[in-house]
Amino acid sequence: MFACLILVIGLYMGANNEKEDQLINHEEPVPKVDQDLSASEENQKDIELPEKGLLTLLGAKSDTLKTEYGDPARIDSSAYGYEWWIYNNNLNEYFQVGILDNRVVSIYVIGPDTLIPPFKIGQPVNELFAQNMIQAEVSLDHESSAYKFELSEGDMNTRPLVPIGDFFAQLYIDKFTGKLSSARFVDAKTLIKQRPYELVYRGELLDSPELSEEQWQLIEKGAELQIFDITNVMRIRHGLNKLSWDEKTSEAAYGHSKEMYDLEYFSHTSETFGTLADRLKTANVFYRVAGENIAANYTDGPAVVEGWLNSKGHRDALLNSAFTHIGVGVYRKHYTQNFIEHWEE
């Protein structure tokens, strides 16, 4: 995964030193085959599923979700076979649910008022670690194959993986506040497909489905809207104004993501279209202050925003009180987030 930030002031101004701004989190994990691997339960203490709250729906039918929480505000595609049902009518209760074959296979929660016992958004990390066994290795068996996820020290400190019943909790920790920022809950099959950590396996390696151009377009649009929503949840959490969507800024961001993917580079400066200031000028975007976050190879929209939040420069852009509007552009797994303080002509 890669992430990068830039900030420009005025209608035309040069970029910051990009080498200082660029953040390399880690390379996309490459699975390793181990013929002798067997999933062990030793020292792996699972948490039981709760009897109340949103997590009771893990593995349930989608009709049960509708009965409990109503129809979603929208349905987005994902790159992993399931659909994201988005519940964003109240950003303080924001969550999205992954549905595959009419079953709940994943839940992502960032709204602080959403009940997800035994966890709670905003929970202090010391309390979280005291209540849960955080391990460097998490093993599981699935359909006669064995898998072991290996977490680095950074993973354990900022996004530990905790077994919970037959599911797994991926806990996103805000390292600047020391609190639980959001949480993702997935079944074993989805976790294996996403491979968010180093993986050793024996048997069959499950892959994500092959996607058409039309399917990717739906996934990209959904990721853009999720990044928009989640960014605003984070800003509200810190007492800041919500950002409004700006379509011209979004088009500029999308063009940059697509070019980075097509030309296989990772930079704020395009040899074709120039700096952020150049690109916003071409898109007829008028602003007083503008900022940009870019990233690549993250699992999806929620993962990339949490990645930006845990990097000082990117966080400063996410939580900059001067910004009033945002545009997000996603192409495949390249992400561009442009912020502006709007300025009328």
Side-chain angles (χ1 to χ4, degrees), residues 2 21 36 54 73 77 85 87 91-92 96 98 114 129 132 134 149 177 184 190-191 200 205 243 248 255 281 309 313:
F2 302 90
D21 293 330
D36 298 323
L54 184 61
S77 296
W85 288 22
Y87 289 82
L91 291 184
N92 284 324
Q96 49 191 74
T114 304
F129 283 11
N132 301 281
I134 307 300
F149 289 96
T177 64
R184 184 195 303 262
T190 302
L191 182 65
V200 180
L205 181 63
L243 301 176
K248 289 182 179 179
K281 183 178 180 180
L309 185 71

Short mmCIF file of all heavy atoms in Angstrom, two decimals, residues 2 21 36 54 73 77 85 87 91-92 96 98 114 129 132 134 149 177 184 190-191 200 205 243 248 255 281 309 313:
data_model
loop_
_atom_site.label_atom_id
_atom_site.label_comp_id
_atom_site.label_asym_id
_atom_site.label_seq_id
_atom_site.Cartn_x
_atom_site.Cartn_y
_atom_site.Cartn_z
N PHE A 2 0.44 2.23 -0.74
CA PHE A 2 1.18 3.48 -0.80
C PHE A 2 0.21 4.63 -0.55
O PHE A 2 -0.94 4.59 -0.95
CB PHE A 2 1.81 3.67 -2.17
CG PHE A 2 2.73 2.54 -2.56
CD1 PHE A 2 2.24 1.45 -3.23
CD2 PHE A 2 4.07 2.60 -2.24
CE1 PHE A 2 3.09 0.41 -3.59
CE2 PHE A 2 4.92 1.57 -2.60
CZ PHE A 2 4.42 0.47 -3.28
N ASP A 21 6.72 13.88 1.65
CA ASP A 21 5.30 13.62 1.86
C ASP A 21 4.93 12.17 1.65
O ASP A 21 3.95 11.69 2.20
CB ASP A 21 4.46 14.47 0.90
CG ASP A 21 4.58 15.94 1.22
OD1 ASP A 21 4.78 16.29 2.39
OD2 ASP A 21 4.47 16.75 0.29
N ASP A 36 3.28 -27.91 5.13
CA ASP A 36 3.20 -28.50 6.47
C ASP A 36 2.30 -27.70 7.40
O ASP A 36 2.19 -28.01 8.58
CB ASP A 36 4.60 -28.59 7.09
CG ASP A 36 5.52 -29.49 6.29
OD1 ASP A 36 5.03 -30.51 5.77
OD2 ASP A 36 6.72 -29.16 6.18
N LEU A 54 -25.40 -4.83 16.41
CA LEU A 54 -25.30 -5.09 14.98
C LEU A 54 -24.61 -6.41 14.66
O LEU A 54 -24.93 -7.08 13.67
CB LEU A 54 -24.54 -3.93 14.32
CG LEU A 54 -24.41 -3.94 12.79
CD1 LEU A 54 -25.77 -3.89 12.12
CD2 LEU A 54 -23.56 -2.75 12.33
N ALA A 73 -29.51 2.99 2.34
CA ALA A 73 -29.61 4.24 1.57
C ALA A 73 -29.20 4.01 0.13
O ALA A 73 -29.72 4.65 -0.79
CB ALA A 73 -28.74 5.31 2.22
N SER A 77 -21.22 -1.85 -5.19
CA SER A 77 -20.50 -3.07 -5.53
C SER A 77 -19.16 -3.11 -4.80
O SER A 77 -18.64 -2.08 -4.37
CB SER A 77 -20.26 -3.14 -7.04
OG SER A 77 -21.48 -3.22 -7.75
N TRP A 85 -24.20 -2.83 1.44
CA TRP A 85 -25.42 -2.11 1.76
C TRP A 85 -25.02 -0.95 2.67
O TRP A 85 -24.49 -1.18 3.76
CB TRP A 85 -26.43 -3.02 2.45
CG TRP A 85 -27.05 -4.04 1.51
CD1 TRP A 85 -26.53 -4.49 0.33
CD2 TRP A 85 -28.28 -4.73 1.72
NE1 TRP A 85 -27.36 -5.43 -0.22
CE2 TRP A 85 -28.44 -5.60 0.60
CE3 TRP A 85 -29.25 -4.73 2.71
CZ2 TRP A 85 -29.56 -6.44 0.48
CZ3 TRP A 85 -30.35 -5.57 2.59
CH2 TRP A 85 -30.50 -6.40 1.49
N TYR A 87 -25.61 2.24 5.05
CA TYR A 87 -26.54 2.89 5.98
C TYR A 87 -25.88 4.18 6.47
O TYR A 87 -25.09 4.19 7.41
CB TYR A 87 -26.84 1.95 7.15
CG TYR A 87 -27.71 0.77 6.75
CD1 TYR A 87 -27.14 -0.36 6.15
CD2 TYR A 87 -29.09 0.80 6.93
CE1 TYR A 87 -27.93 -1.43 5.76
CE2 TYR A 87 -29.89 -0.27 6.54
CZ TYR A 87 -29.31 -1.38 5.96
OH TYR A 87 -30.09 -2.45 5.55
N LEU A 91 -24.78 9.97 10.07
CA LEU A 91 -23.35 9.66 10.03
C LEU A 91 -22.82 9.21 11.39
O LEU A 91 -21.82 8.49 11.44
CB LEU A 91 -22.56 10.86 9.52
CG LEU A 91 -22.75 11.21 8.04
CD1 LEU A 91 -21.84 12.37 7.64
CD2 LEU A 91 -22.51 10.02 7.14
N ASN A 92 -23.48 9.59 12.47
CA ASN A 92 -23.06 9.12 13.79
C ASN A 92 -23.39 7.65 14.01
O ASN A 92 -22.94 7.04 14.98
CB ASN A 92 -23.67 9.96 14.90
CG ASN A 92 -22.99 11.31 15.05
OD1 ASN A 92 -21.77 11.41 14.88
ND2 ASN A 92 -23.75 12.34 15.35
N GLN A 96 -21.81 -0.09 7.07
CA GLN A 96 -22.09 -0.72 5.79
C GLN A 96 -21.94 -2.23 5.94
O GLN A 96 -21.08 -2.70 6.67
CB GLN A 96 -21.20 -0.16 4.68
CG GLN A 96 -19.73 -0.09 4.97
CD GLN A 96 -18.96 0.71 3.93
OE1 GLN A 96 -19.05 1.94 3.90
NE2 GLN A 96 -18.20 0.02 3.09
N GLY A 98 -21.75 -6.08 4.10
CA GLY A 98 -21.46 -6.87 2.91
C GLY A 98 -22.43 -8.03 2.79
O GLY A 98 -22.53 -8.85 3.71
N THR A 114 -23.28 3.45 16.87
CA THR A 114 -23.70 2.11 16.47
C THR A 114 -23.22 1.10 17.51
O THR A 114 -22.04 1.07 17.88
CB THR A 114 -23.12 1.74 15.09
OG1 THR A 114 -23.51 2.74 14.13
CG2 THR A 114 -23.63 0.39 14.63
N PHE A 129 -7.05 -3.62 24.31
CA PHE A 129 -6.02 -4.66 24.36
C PHE A 129 -6.14 -5.50 25.64
O PHE A 129 -5.79 -6.67 25.64
CB PHE A 129 -4.63 -4.04 24.26
CG PHE A 129 -4.25 -3.63 22.87
CD1 PHE A 129 -5.18 -3.61 21.85
CD2 PHE A 129 -2.95 -3.29 22.57
CE1 PHE A 129 -4.85 -3.23 20.56
CE2 PHE A 129 -2.59 -2.91 21.27
CZ PHE A 129 -3.54 -2.88 20.27
N ASN A 132 -8.95 -8.12 24.88
CA ASN A 132 -8.82 -8.99 23.72
C ASN A 132 -7.40 -9.52 23.60
O ASN A 132 -6.44 -8.80 23.85
CB ASN A 132 -9.20 -8.24 22.44
CG ASN A 132 -10.63 -7.72 22.48
OD1 ASN A 132 -11.57 -8.46 22.26
ND2 ASN A 132 -10.78 -6.43 22.77
N ILE A 134 -4.50 -10.05 21.56
CA ILE A 134 -3.92 -9.56 20.32
C ILE A 134 -2.69 -10.42 20.01
O ILE A 134 -1.73 -10.42 20.77
CB ILE A 134 -3.53 -8.08 20.42
CG1 ILE A 134 -4.74 -7.25 20.90
CG2 ILE A 134 -3.00 -7.58 19.09
CD1 ILE A 134 -5.94 -7.30 19.99
N PHE A 149 -2.53 -16.06 9.11
CA PHE A 149 -2.22 -14.66 8.87
C PHE A 149 -1.15 -14.22 9.85
O PHE A 149 -1.25 -14.47 11.05
CB PHE A 149 -3.47 -13.79 9.02
CG PHE A 149 -4.46 -13.97 7.92
CD1 PHE A 149 -5.53 -14.84 8.05
CD2 PHE A 149 -4.30 -13.30 6.72
CE1 PHE A 149 -6.43 -15.02 7.02
CE2 PHE A 149 -5.19 -13.47 5.67
CZ PHE A 149 -6.26 -14.34 5.83
N THR A 177 -4.88 9.32 18.66
CA THR A 177 -5.74 9.49 19.83
C THR A 177 -5.71 8.27 20.74
O THR A 177 -6.17 8.35 21.89
CB THR A 177 -7.21 9.74 19.40
OG1 THR A 177 -7.70 8.58 18.71
CG2 THR A 177 -7.30 10.96 18.49
N ARG A 184 -13.99 -3.63 11.23
CA ARG A 184 -14.52 -4.44 10.12
C ARG A 184 -14.65 -5.88 10.62
O ARG A 184 -13.73 -6.43 11.23
CB ARG A 184 -13.55 -4.39 8.94
CG ARG A 184 -14.05 -5.12 7.70
CD ARG A 184 -12.91 -5.35 6.72
NE ARG A 184 -12.24 -4.11 6.32
CZ ARG A 184 -12.50 -3.46 5.18
NH1 ARG A 184 -13.39 -3.93 4.35
NH2 ARG A 184 -11.84 -2.35 4.90
N THR A 190 -14.21 -14.35 3.14
CA THR A 190 -13.96 -12.96 2.74
C THR A 190 -12.57 -12.52 3.18
O THR A 190 -11.84 -11.86 2.42
CB THR A 190 -15.02 -12.03 3.33
OG1 THR A 190 -16.32 -12.46 2.89
CG2 THR A 190 -14.80 -10.59 2.89
N LEU A 191 -12.17 -12.88 4.39
CA LEU A 191 -10.85 -12.52 4.89
C LEU A 191 -9.75 -13.12 4.01
O LEU A 191 -8.76 -12.44 3.69
CB LEU A 191 -10.69 -13.01 6.33
CG LEU A 191 -9.37 -12.67 7.03
CD1 LEU A 191 -9.22 -11.16 7.20
CD2 LEU A 191 -9.28 -13.37 8.38
N VAL A 200 0.21 -17.27 4.98
CA VAL A 200 0.80 -18.57 4.66
C VAL A 200 -0.36 -19.56 4.58
O VAL A 200 -1.27 -19.53 5.42
CB VAL A 200 1.80 -19.02 5.76
CG1 VAL A 200 2.40 -20.37 5.40
CG2 VAL A 200 2.90 -17.98 5.93
N LEU A 205 -6.00 -21.51 -2.49
CA LEU A 205 -6.00 -20.08 -2.20
C LEU A 205 -7.20 -19.44 -2.89
O LEU A 205 -7.30 -19.44 -4.11
CB LEU A 205 -4.71 -19.43 -2.69
CG LEU A 205 -4.58 -17.93 -2.41
CD1 LEU A 205 -4.57 -17.65 -0.91
CD2 LEU A 205 -3.33 -17.36 -3.06
N LEU A 243 -17.90 18.23 4.76
CA LEU A 243 -17.53 18.69 3.43
C LEU A 243 -18.66 18.41 2.44
O LEU A 243 -19.36 17.41 2.56
CB LEU A 243 -16.25 17.99 2.95
CG LEU A 243 -15.01 18.19 3.83
CD1 LEU A 243 -13.86 17.35 3.30
CD2 LEU A 243 -14.62 19.65 3.90
N LYS A 248 -16.70 18.77 -10.17
CA LYS A 248 -15.53 19.11 -10.99
C LYS A 248 -14.24 18.66 -10.31
O LYS A 248 -13.32 18.14 -10.96
CB LYS A 248 -15.48 20.61 -11.26
CG LYS A 248 -16.55 21.11 -12.23
CD LYS A 248 -16.39 22.60 -12.49
CE LYS A 248 -17.42 23.13 -13.47
NZ LYS A 248 -17.26 24.59 -13.70
N GLY A 255 -9.36 11.55 -12.85
CA GLY A 255 -8.39 11.56 -13.95
C GLY A 255 -6.98 11.25 -13.46
O GLY A 255 -6.22 10.55 -14.13
N LYS A 281 -7.05 23.81 -12.18
CA LYS A 281 -7.28 24.92 -13.12
C LYS A 281 -7.90 24.41 -14.41
O LYS A 281 -8.85 25.01 -14.94
CB LYS A 281 -5.96 25.64 -13.40
CG LYS A 281 -6.10 26.85 -14.31
CD LYS A 281 -4.75 27.54 -14.51
CE LYS A 281 -4.90 28.76 -15.42
NZ LYS A 281 -3.59 29.44 -15.64
N LEU A 309 -5.79 8.48 7.80
CA LEU A 309 -5.97 9.03 9.13
C LEU A 309 -4.75 8.79 10.02
O LEU A 309 -4.43 9.61 10.88
CB LEU A 309 -7.20 8.39 9.79
CG LEU A 309 -7.59 8.97 11.16
CD1 LEU A 309 -8.15 10.38 11.03
CD2 LEU A 309 -8.59 8.06 11.87
N GLY A 313 0.62 13.80 7.77
CA GLY A 313 0.31 14.73 6.70
C GLY A 313 -1.07 14.54 6.11
O GLY A 313 -1.82 15.49 5.88
#
